[in-house]
Amino acid sequence: MTKTDQVSIAVIGAGGVGRHFVTQCSYLLPKYPNASVVLISRSNRSLRVTSFDHALSLSAWEKDLAASDGPALSPPEILDFLSSAPGKCILVDNTSNQDVAASYPSFLNKGISVVTPNKKAFSSDLGLWTSIFESAYPRNAQGGLIYHESSVGAGLPIISTLKDLVDTGDEVDKIEGVFSGTMSFLFNSFAPVEGKGGKWSDEVRKAKDAGYTEPDPRDDLNGLDVARKLVILARVVGLQIESTSAFPVQSLIPNQLAYCDSGDVFLEKLPDFDDEMDQVKSEAGRIGKVVRFVGRIDVANKQVKVGLEEFTKDHPIAGLKGSDNIINFYTKRYGSNPLIVQGAGAGGEVTAMGVTADLIKKYFDLDSSHSTWKPINLSLRATVDMATGNLNRKTGVIVGDDVLKLFSYAKEKQFAIPAINVTSSSTVVAALEAARDKKAPVILQMSQGGGAFFAGKGVANDKQQASIAGSIAGAQYIRSIASSYDIPVILHTDHCAKKLLPWLDGMMDADEAYYKEHGEPLFSSHMIDLSEEDVEFNIQTTAKYLKRAAPMKQWLEMEIGITGGEEDGVNNEDVDNNSLYTQPEDIYNIHKTLSAISPYFSIAAGFGNVHGVYKPGNVKLHPELLGKHQAYVKEKTGSKEAKPVFLVFHGGSGSAKSEYTEAISHGVVKVNLDTDLQYAYLTGIRDYVLKKKDYLMSPVGNPDGEDKPNKKYFDPRVWVREGEKTMSARVQEGLVDFNTANQL
């Protein structure tokens, strides 16, 4: 065995589940000679190897741990310890500790895999969920793997079953069942289908004595254990559930006992409330039913709830035995007969079995499909401060709350993010290089014509099919490459006039499909431009699209007030100049309508903007109007923010830096750069061709000799690269002008 083949396992938590897990490892690991336990840590002490050439002996590990004078290790200390291990590492967290859970992204980013039954890691803050999976393979190509099957079903294959359904294209309509072995044991004894049953307080005490409850039974009876499991499953199926407080959870703790000093005091006083539970049981019995504690996820209606429900005695949920769980998956593929997973759902030994099974899966994933897995190169990670400090995702395409946070930070710090129209992989690279080199965020956007070009000019576009396909292809390319540049990227689409709405519809279809699979839309944001239409039609149509985008937390930019000039097939060169200036009343009406739907929107207000490049003085910009818009909205809404509206600057090519600066001071967070960059891209290619003309007239023969080959001069990678350089340089100028440079 070489050191690179070695798999080092660190175990946190050695009581309850952890004790059973390590015992199971003592039987398992002899089958896998290159895997070894190198650390066992609990709350008050730890046991670890002094050299990775050795492994901990598990034959008497409990005695060895009890005798160890090694201090308990914090997550950063464990991370530091494992970072020096050769080969691959797996962290097994058997605790329910929130601080340990919060450290998972750090381990994963270092290439250390994680196996855990810790529900808190996956059911608390949605940002932590996102950070965990963004840090893990395959989202992070160099990240560790993550398995948490036992966070929901103990030893039952609940998460893997659901993922298989989703990954194979089935549509999940509803998930229901008994998710707690503790609650199953309690109600099967308290209200059996054959009638009678014991007193509620007696059954709770029996469950505690049998090891089915937490040390304080209130931690089970409050319903939060079930709620956490539903949050996890809801997120797996694509619902963006913020936390257990986002839906109704019924607690079985009498209000008077919620704040008892201890679990023992609670058990002493619980008999005083038996009559309440007896009444619940009797009411169900009078109509031939039994009561059970269940959880439901209505995927179609995006509803989750936890609590008591009544079931007929022949219902599968009513007929459970002991501490069995039962989970029913109702899907399109399975029709009216659900896919059912049933079995023991509580107890340290079965939970440990689930953890051990995940460890085996992880081992083989590391050994085979993930065999090219490498330690992370820390020099490629973005610095986490300034603009990215509060972002859940620091690099690559950002979405949802991260877009809102970045725009809010831009407004606060008075910088605007340039939006670059990209039409090819080459222009994407030029923009990303510039932003990386200037340590700045950037917006990459696909226009309707740019999307069609990305697909290929030979593809029919009579129904926007080329624009849709090309925009989606461009988005997928940007997503695949953006994280390599270590900057946050907003993936946007540009002007969509009324006649182009089928293009937007097609992209949002793709967004919803991507959201269903990945929990986020394909594009960060879109723009709808109905500025040529009646104001009321503009606002109401924009509201309709924002309602569609809102469940995905997708940003929507809209335009009110026409931008003059011509761009991408939309010609406003002959419009009345008065139409180029938006009125504050319109801004307020838009803000009032859209903010009632979602906070994820911005407004491109007209203040004399014109697309294209014109002689200085020919375009009359009045950025001071933007300040008046902000003041009007603040007054009408009573907002505490001086600048309550996110504003966008279109048609900025050729503008003076002072005009950009003033507009940005009034809350502009995005500036479109297009015409200037088209010309900049050309100049590099033009100058190269003119300079190397004599080397480009034929494949062979140049001033250096008639038989000299010219391939190194006409290779597209040479002259296209020259265009990338000059475009990138112009993007960097914009980043400086808009105060975006060095914001990361």
Side-chain angles (χ1 to χ4, degrees), residues 53-237:
D53 292 330
H54 305 288
L56 291 179
S57 172
L58 302 183
S59 59
W61 71 270
E62 289 185 90
K63 291 181 180 179
D64 293 341
L65 179 60
S68 172
D69 58 1
L73 299 181
S74 67
E77 289 172 326
I78 296 172
L79 178 60
D80 184 61
F81 171 68
L82 291 178
S83 295
S84 62
K88 300 154 188 173
C89 298
I90 301 173
L91 175 74
V92 180
D93 173 24
N94 292 308
T95 74
S96 59
N97 187 288
Q98 183 67 54
D99 291 337
V100 176
S103 71
Y104 291 173
S106 298
F107 284 91
L108 293 165
N109 276 322
K110 281 270 192 163
I112 298 169
S113 294
V114 177
V115 171
T116 182
N118 190 342
K119 288 183 280 293
K120 292 180 181 177
F122 308 97
S123 62
S124 55
D125 179 55
L126 183 59
L128 177 58
W129 166 279
T130 303
S131 181
I132 287 171
F133 288 100
E134 286 300 319
S135 302
Y137 184 88
R139 292 281 186 92
N140 176 0
Q142 295 174 308
L145 300 165
I146 180 80
Y147 279 107
H148 61 110
E149 184 73 75
S150 295
S151 65
V152 171
L156 297 177
I158 305 301
I159 293 176
S160 56
T161 297
L162 180 58
K163 284 180 61 64
D164 286 346
L165 291 171
V166 173
D167 292 347
T168 57
D170 203 354
E171 296 180 14
V172 181
D173 299 320
K174 181 174 63 176
I175 305 169
E176 67 174 17
V178 175
F179 291 85
S180 165
T182 301
M183 291 297 197
S184 180
F185 179 87
L186 283 173
F187 281 93
N188 293 338
S189 301
F190 171 65
V193 292
E194 59 270 18
K196 294 185 180 180
K199 287 290 185 181
W200 177 247
S201 60
D202 290 340
E203 300 306 330
V204 173
R205 188 175 289 276
K206 287 179 187 176
K208 181 179 184 300
D209 292 342
Y212 287 126
T213 74
E214 296 294 329
D216 187 337
R218 287 174 295 180
D219 292 336
D220 294 289
L221 298 180
N222 61 16
L224 289 178
D225 179 68
V226 175
R228 291 187 184 104
K229 294 174 181 179
L230 293 191
V231 169
I232 295 169
L233 294 181
R235 290 174 177 176
V236 170
V237 85

Side-chain angles (χ1 to χ4, degrees), residues 703-716:
D704 298 331
E706 293 182 357
D707 59 346
K708 295 293 184 181
N710 293 318
K711 176 175 171 51
K712 65 181 180 181
Y713 300 105
F714 63 71
D715 186 330

Side-chain angles (χ1 to χ4, degrees), residues 410-416 607 623-628 630-631 642-645 647 649 657-671 737-739:
K411 190 162 57 171
E412 175 191 350
K413 299 300 182 182
Q414 296 195 16
F415 69 88
F607 54 100
E624 72 277 4
L625 294 177
L626 301 179
K628 295 179 180 179
Q630 296 281 20
K643 296 174 285 188
V645 185
L647 295 173
F649 188 157
K657 183 176 180 179
S658 60
E659 292 171 323
Y660 286 129
T661 301
E662 183 174 359
I664 292 168
S665 74
H666 295 310
V668 165
V669 297
K670 171 180 178 279
V671 178
D737 288 345
F738 307 154
N739 196 32

Side-chain angles (χ1 to χ4, degrees), residues 121 153 156 164 173 194 207 253 299 306 357 382 427 453 485 496 551 595 603:
L156 297 177
D164 286 346
D173 299 320
E194 59 270 18
I253 303 172
V299 180
V306 174
T427 51
F453 187 84
Y485 289 82
C496 179
S595 60
I603 303 172

Side-chain angles (χ1 to χ4, degrees), residues 380-488:
L380 297 179
R381 304 307 302 166
T383 301
V384 182
D385 60 2
M386 301 182 73
T388 59
N390 293 322
L391 301 187
N392 293 318
R393 186 179 302 166
K394 315 299 181 186
T395 65
V397 173
I398 64 172
V399 295
D401 288 336
D402 281 345
V403 175
L404 178 60
K405 290 174 184 176
L406 184 56
F407 281 151
S408 298
Y409 185 83
K411 190 162 57 171
E412 175 191 350
K413 299 300 182 182
Q414 296 195 16
F415 69 88
I417 306 170
I420 315 301
N421 279 54
V422 291
T423 57
S424 64
S425 61
S426 178
T427 51
V428 168
V429 166
L432 289 174
E433 279 189 357
R436 178 200 62 198
D437 293 347
K438 285 298 182 182
K439 297 181 175 60
V442 72
I443 300 170
L444 301 185
Q445 60 188 24
M446 305 289 298
S447 68
Q448 182 263 355
F453 187 84
F454 215 104
K457 296 298 286 184
V459 179
N461 204 28
D462 56 309
K463 296 180 181 179
Q464 301 299 324
Q465 60 267 47
S467 293
I468 293 169
S471 298
I472 292 171
Q476 295 283 12
Y477 171 73
I478 291 168
R479 275 189 169 272
S480 69
I481 201 70
S483 60
S484 300
Y485 289 82
D486 289 332
I487 55 171

Side-chain angles (χ1 to χ4, degrees), residues 266-286:
F266 168 76
L267 287 173
E268 288 175 9
K269 295 184 177 182
L270 187 58
D272 295 340
F273 300 89
D274 280 344
D275 289 346
E276 294 180 10
M277 290 300 292
D278 282 340
Q279 184 178 353
V280 171
K281 178 167 62 173
S282 297
E283 288 177 356
R286 277 196 293 270

